[in-house]
Amino acid sequence: MNRVEPRIIPRKEHRISRKQLSPNALRTLYRLHSHGFIAYLVGGCVRDLLLGRKPKDFDIGTNATPSQIKRLFRNCRLIGRRFRLAHIHFQNEIVEVSTFRRAAVASDNPDPEETDHIKRLPRHVQDEDGMVLVDNVFGTPEEDALRRDFTINALAYNIADFSVIDYSTGLSDLQQRLIHTIGDPRIRFTEDPVRMLRAVRFAASHDFVIEPAAWESLCDLSHIISRVSPARLYEEIQKLFFLGSARPAFSLLEKSGLLAALFPGLIRWIYGNNRRLSLLDANLKRLDELYQINTPVSPALFMATLFGPNLEKAALARHRDGIPRQQAIDEICAVFMKEISRNVSIPGRIGSQLRAILVLQASMHRIPPRRPASLVGRPEFKEAMAYLRLAAETKSEYRTSLEWWEKFLLNMPSVTVLEPQPVEIPTKKRKKRRRKPRRSRQTVA
């Protein structure tokens, strides 16, 4: 992309008001500004404010170094090695403050004798494939904007005069609802493959279109997403699927090849039967509807929604071979967690909850079920019931079970013993030891 002169939009020509900002973010901006530092709102919060959306968080860019930020805020914590950041901790919010950075050059590695605590760290490190591992080269606001991923994220809000600064073509791309990389998309995606997931997320959540050159590069490079650490990929997967746009995000992941790179087992199962893609599409649509009515979706329920049908089918095949149903589910889930963790690090507790949801289905499908009140008392019952509702929408044979449980829950007594009371085990009383009489000391006259 050709570099253009920054465009400054004065306060009266844009829709951002300080009333829309977090009070803590506003306080942080003012303190930085009052001490002579540049202080901008940057990135996605500016994009969302201009679109009339409520930002999830407010990020701040400044020319103050991390050490200067830490001296300025007593509630500051410095984090990260790949990107050195300052987190300003408030009672109910963390405001992230980053120092302006620029693209690195060969001479940016520090002299070994430098003593500043930031300079002791490697400023810029890339692996042999061009992926950025460390990036702490400080620069100007414009340099910082032009090293970002997409033009719509290269916008800034200046607290000094309340103007919006567009260092690229972000404003026009917002109007066209277009996701455009800053610079060569192949280079930008190679530097950080997570940008491919971010492009999909923005396209899905904002109903934008990824411009053709970026989409072509994304499809060609989809396989390199496996270079990203599994823990970081788990964080990105949550952002993709838990914020109300799971259905369009899944479609873009499947079309681009990213889904095959992240979950190869799921792709093999989907392509084994054309109806399975429609099944997952319907399930994810329902999850998005739950988000829209402010009903949070747990990670375990999402995992069951996406992978449950495949795991249930595999467990049923083992059960038909003579293995008890619960044992079959345990074995299938153990193999699944081992395979998926090679690419995406799913916490073990989520895997245990997923297994419990699937185990409960057999009991919930038995009409009438045995000891239904005790099943309701299990911690995973809520997610198991939600999963049953999803299954009943696509499988008519489950609707009878769903109707029975909904009627049972409606008529369930308000006071029900769901869990056995703990039994107090008497402890053995300790015998008192008889104290020996103290011998009186004889004084020597």
Side-chain angles (χ1 to χ4, degrees):
M1 174 179 292
N2 295 327
R3 183 172 175 178
V4 297
E5 288 298 321
R7 178 185 171 191
I8 299 178
I9 299 91
R11 170 66 189 93
K12 61 182 179 180
E13 296 180 16
H14 65 76
R15 65 190 301 173
I16 298 179
S17 168
R18 279 169 289 173
K19 295 179 181 179
Q20 300 170 291
L21 274 57
S22 154
N24 295 324
L26 196 60
R27 190 179 299 118
T28 304
L29 287 166
Y30 276 135
R31 178 174 292 187
L32 286 166
H33 177 62
S34 64
H35 284 77
F37 296 110
I38 300 172
Y40 293 167
L41 279 182
V42 294
C45 61
V46 182
R47 174 200 68 221
D48 288 344
L49 288 169
L50 289 171
L51 291 172
R53 300 165 64 105
K54 184 178 179 180
K56 295 187 297 296
D57 45 42
F58 294 86
D59 295 336
I60 294 174
T62 180
N63 60 340
T65 64
S67 58
Q68 289 173 325
I69 300 169
K70 186 171 179 60
R71 286 195 294 268
L72 200 57
F73 296 90
R74 291 183 300 173
N75 52 338
C76 173
R77 301 289 183 274
L78 298 183
I79 65 165
R81 288 183 60 88
R82 184 172 181 270
F83 298 109
R84 195 69 166 165
L85 300 171
H87 277 183
I88 313 299
H89 290 252
F90 296 93
Q91 185 175 2
N92 58 350
E93 183 182 12
I94 296 177
V95 177
E96 186 173 281
V97 183
S98 61
T99 305
F100 296 131
R101 287 169 171 80
R102 62 180 172 86
V105 295
S107 60
D108 281 325
N109 283 324
D111 188 292
E113 296 181 359
E114 289 179 329
T115 57
D116 183 83
H117 75 100
I118 292 299
K119 293 180 180 179
R120 285 202 304 267
L121 297 172
R123 292 186 185 175
H124 187 82
V125 177
Q126 287 181 295
D127 65 10
E128 58 184 8
D129 298 312
M131 180 175 166
V132 177
L133 304 178
V134 178
D135 190 3
N136 287 304
V137 185
F138 300 146
T140 66
E142 182 175 4
E143 289 171 331
D144 184 79
L146 293 177
R147 58 175 288 283
R148 291 179 177 269
D149 46 12
F150 308 112
T151 59
I152 57 175
N153 292 333
L155 300 163
Y157 174 80
N158 187 358
I159 196 61
D161 58 7
F162 317 122
S163 64
V164 169
I165 307 173
D166 183 4
Y167 291 102
S168 183
T169 58
L171 289 172
S172 62
D173 288 338
L174 278 181
Q175 293 174 350
Q176 299 177 54
R177 309 190 73 82
L178 189 67
I179 295 177
H180 203 304
T181 58
I182 299 176
D184 186 339
R186 297 190 70 88
I187 295 176
R188 306 305 277 161
F189 292 148
T190 301
E191 288 175 341
D192 186 0
V194 165
R195 287 171 176 158
M196 295 186 290
L197 296 181
R198 287 168 59 83
V200 167
R201 172 156 58 94
F202 296 145
S205 62
H206 290 67
D207 194 23
F208 278 27
V209 175
I210 302 174
E211 61 93 15
W215 176 255
E216 182 180 353
S217 298
L218 191 155
C219 295
D220 290 343
L221 298 173
S222 59
H223 63 282
I224 70 172
I225 196 65
S226 59
R227 298 176 187 170
V228 181
S229 70
R232 191 175 176 212
L233 285 178
Y234 177 65
E235 294 178 3
E236 293 298 325
I237 290 300
Q238 294 182 78
K239 296 175 185 177
L240 272 169
F241 291 109
F242 294 176
L243 299 177
S245 54
R247 184 188 183 191
F250 182 84
S251 177
L252 289 172
L253 290 175
E254 190 270 329
K255 292 176 182 177
S256 66
L258 285 168
L259 189 67
L262 290 169
F263 309 121
L266 181 63
I267 281 292
R268 290 194 297 269
W269 178 75
I270 289 174
Y271 290 167
N273 188 320
N274 293 333
R275 291 179 296 177
R276 293 170 182 169
L277 187 59
S278 300
L279 168 66
L280 294 184
D281 183 77
N283 286 350
L284 293 172
K285 178 183 177 182
R286 180 56 182 156
L287 291 189
D288 290 342
E289 292 171 351
L290 291 175
Y291 180 86
Q292 297 302 326
I293 60 174
N294 297 320
T295 302
V297 176
S298 69
L301 178 57
F302 162 73
M303 295 288 291
T305 301
L306 196 59
F307 301 103
N310 182 17
L311 297 177
E312 285 186 301
K313 182 176 182 297
L316 180 61
R318 295 183 67 83
H319 178 59
R320 287 171 176 168
D321 290 338
I323 299 176
R325 185 182 296 273
Q326 181 166 342
Q327 181 182 342
I329 293 177
D330 289 346
E331 293 176 358
I332 290 299
C333 286
V335 172
F336 164 75
M337 288 297 294
K338 184 177 180 180
E339 290 180 350
I340 197 173
S341 294
R342 295 170 186 168
N343 292 330
V344 181
S345 181
I346 307 295
R349 60 181 176 82
I350 304 300
S352 298
Q353 293 168 4
L354 167 64
R355 181 192 60 80
I357 290 172
L358 299 182
V359 167
L360 260 182
Q361 297 305 305
S363 300
M364 297 177 73
H365 292 158
R366 185 185 298 115
I367 301 300
R370 299 174 184 172
R371 301 176 62 191
S374 65
L375 295 180
V376 175
R378 295 190 182 183
E380 62 275 5
F381 177 81
K382 181 179 178 181
E383 281 75 16
M385 188 67 188
Y387 182 70
L388 177 60
R389 288 193 180 98
L390 290 174
E393 291 184 7
T394 54
K395 295 183 179 180
S396 58
E397 62 267 28
Y398 292 161
R399 290 172 188 167
T400 302
S401 301
L402 176 62
E403 291 172 359
W404 189 96
W405 276 104
E406 288 181 336
K407 183 177 180 180
F408 175 79
L409 294 174
L410 185 64
N411 299 323
M412 190 175 178
S414 57
V415 179
T416 307
V417 179
L418 300 180
E419 296 181 0
Q421 297 296 320
V423 179
E424 184 177 351
I425 300 176
T427 56
K428 189 176 182 179
K429 292 186 177 180
R430 188 177 178 181
K431 291 183 179 180
K432 292 185 178 181
R433 295 181 62 183
R434 188 174 180 181
R435 297 181 62 181
K436 294 182 180 180
R438 296 181 62 183
R439 296 175 62 183
S440 59
R441 292 183 179 181
Q442 296 181 358
T443 60
V444 179

